[in-house]
Amino acid sequence: MPILDLTAHLSKVRLDKYLADEIEVLSRSKARECIESDNVSVDGKREKPSYMLKGGESIRIELPVEPPLAVEGENIPLDIIHEDDELIVINKPAGLVVHPGAGNIQGTLVNALVYHFTRLSSVHGDRRPGIVHRLDKDTSGVLVVAKTDQSHMHVAKQFSSHSVEKTYWGVVWGKFDRNEGVVEGPITRHPRDRKKFAVVEYGRRAVTRYWVEREFDTLTLVGLMPVTGRTHQLRVHMAHVGHPVFADEIYGGGKSRLKGYSPHQRDFLISLYSSIQRQALHALSITVVHPKSRKGMTFEAPVPADFQTVIDTLERRHG
């Protein structure tokens, strides 16, 4: 079994919940199974799933081995921004899941990568060859893939040290009091809905920079830079400060937001919604230090048609 060593950075949190929130591949029930099977130790001792962390403990967990998953290559077209002996940079379309998982073993970016490339990093095993980082299914934009394990680890270290610069564009609800700012709020899984994430006191540190690109009547085009890289971070942070991403049904930016608008405004917003039908979030650029040249390289993904339609429609309406 693979072994993972952690240092508890939270206190007053159950051991099983902490492990489930920290380790992406573990559900709460799987974390409990690991603890009850004596595959988890806290400061060298066995504890119960209900053990309340004090903070600072050394936790060792033997992760269950996932059964091999034969990922079949599929001839899914890829928009390749850049390719060399170490890296592939993809412009991922909205609607494409990055890697296979429960209920998604086909039709993913990984299936396409396996078909189109003979060499991909194996750091994440057979399920996620080449995948260094991810984008949400319905977020479009630039994504870096590693061909070799050495390159994978080099880029992954940049992500973990927060030295990768990522810029997004998002259309969000409302107007901001300031033209630029920083959102800070610890993020972890939602306490009641494990498919969502939320700003919670005991979550992991999360920081997002934002700036206003263009202000409209009810919506704003913003630039976003995630200083940290938590799951759903930009969507959660924008919702947290009262500006959820437009058409984001999960985090309060969907059609339920239309209540209170005049019929004329509502008709316009519904028409705008129908032109994108996914969260209006696009990964515009990424800057990484190349594993071989050791020079910073910036890759950009053009704004896709559906997102551009939203911007163009707003600009025509508001001049």
Side-chain angles (χ1 to χ4, degrees):
M1 289 187 177
I3 295 174
L4 184 63
D5 290 311
L6 304 171
T7 300
H9 67 280
L10 299 176
S11 61
K12 299 179 182 177
V13 180
R14 283 175 57 114
L15 177 60
D16 57 352
K17 176 169 175 47
Y18 180 80
L19 292 176
D21 289 343
E22 285 294 302
I23 303 171
E24 184 181 343
V25 298
L26 283 187
S27 64
R28 184 82 171 263
S29 60
K30 286 289 185 184
R32 195 157 45 243
E33 285 178 22
C34 286
I35 297 167
E36 291 172 344
S37 300
D38 290 338
N39 290 324
V40 177
S41 64
V42 180
D43 286 338
K45 297 187 296 184
R46 307 299 182 191
E47 300 289 355
K48 294 180 179 180
S50 59
Y51 173 80
M52 298 297 288
L53 292 168
K54 301 176 180 63
E57 293 100 328
S58 295
I59 303 172
R60 169 164 288 200
I61 176 169
E62 294 184 22
L63 294 171
V65 177
E66 292 184 287
L69 178 67
V71 177
E72 295 182 6
E74 295 180 63
N75 189 11
I76 300 168
L78 291 175
D79 183 358
I80 300 171
I81 298 170
H82 170 87
E83 182 187 358
D84 57 39
D85 290 340
E86 308 298 325
L87 301 176
I88 309 157
V89 183
I90 305 290
N91 180 12
K92 187 190 86 68
L96 183 64
V97 175
V98 170
H99 60 76
N104 268 317
I105 60 171
Q106 293 180 321
T108 73
L109 175 61
V110 163
N111 295 99
L113 291 172
V114 169
Y115 180 90
H116 290 286
F117 300 97
T118 57
R119 191 169 59 141
L120 296 166
S121 72
S122 60
V123 171
H124 287 311
D126 295 335
R127 291 172 180 257
R128 291 186 283 172
I131 301 301
V132 183
H133 68 117
R134 296 177 303 168
L135 293 174
D136 296 341
K137 175 185 175 182
D138 288 326
T139 296
S140 56
V142 64
L143 187 141
V144 176
V145 175
K147 284 187 172 180
T148 69
D149 289 358
Q150 185 177 5
S151 297
H152 186 126
M153 296 307 297
H154 186 270
V155 176
K157 285 178 181 177
Q158 295 177 60
F159 274 98
S160 62
S161 65
H162 310 309
S163 62
V164 174
E165 290 187 6
K166 293 180 288 182
T167 301
Y168 291 71
W169 268 9
V171 175
V172 303
W173 286 91
K175 296 182 179 182
F176 290 79
D177 295 331
R178 297 187 298 166
N179 283 334
E180 60 181 65
V182 176
V183 181
E184 294 190 55
I187 291 176
T188 189
R189 288 194 185 276
H190 194 284
R192 292 180 299 279
D193 185 349
R194 285 191 57 80
K195 293 181 180 179
K196 294 172 60 176
F197 290 78
V199 172
V200 181
E201 183 181 358
Y202 53 79
R204 300 181 71 186
R205 176 177 176 268
V207 180
T208 300
R209 285 184 52 214
Y210 74 86
W211 57 94
V212 173
E213 289 279 350
R214 180 77 194 274
E215 212 171 57
F216 303 101
D217 189 18
T218 56
L219 299 168
T220 299
L221 174 65
V222 292
L224 298 164
M225 181 176 287
V227 178
T228 54
R230 310 304 174 206
T231 304
H232 295 185
Q233 177 175 313
L234 301 182
R235 299 162 65 193
V236 171
H237 270 174
M238 287 297 97
H240 180 65
V241 296
H243 300 285
V245 176
F246 180 69
D248 187 348
E249 291 287 357
I250 294 177
Y251 291 106
K255 289 184 178 178
S256 62
R257 191 88 181 180
L258 297 175
K259 294 176 182 177
Y261 287 98
S262 69
H264 180 66
Q265 285 177 311
R266 193 159 52 245
D267 288 345
F268 170 75
L269 290 167
I270 289 173
S271 173
L272 199 65
Y273 184 99
S274 66
S275 69
I276 191 165
Q277 297 186 35
R278 53 102 174 182
Q279 67 251 16
L281 191 61
H282 175 69
L284 192 65
S285 70
I286 189 167
T287 300
V288 297
V289 175
H290 193 273
K292 282 294 184 185
S293 70
R294 295 299 198 265
K295 293 180 180 179
M297 298 183 71
T298 299
F299 305 102
E300 298 183 356
V303 175
D306 61 348
F307 196 108
Q308 191 64 53
T309 296
V310 171
I311 296 173
D312 292 345
T313 304
L314 288 168
E315 288 183 338
R316 282 197 301 270
R317 180 180 174 89
H318 300 287

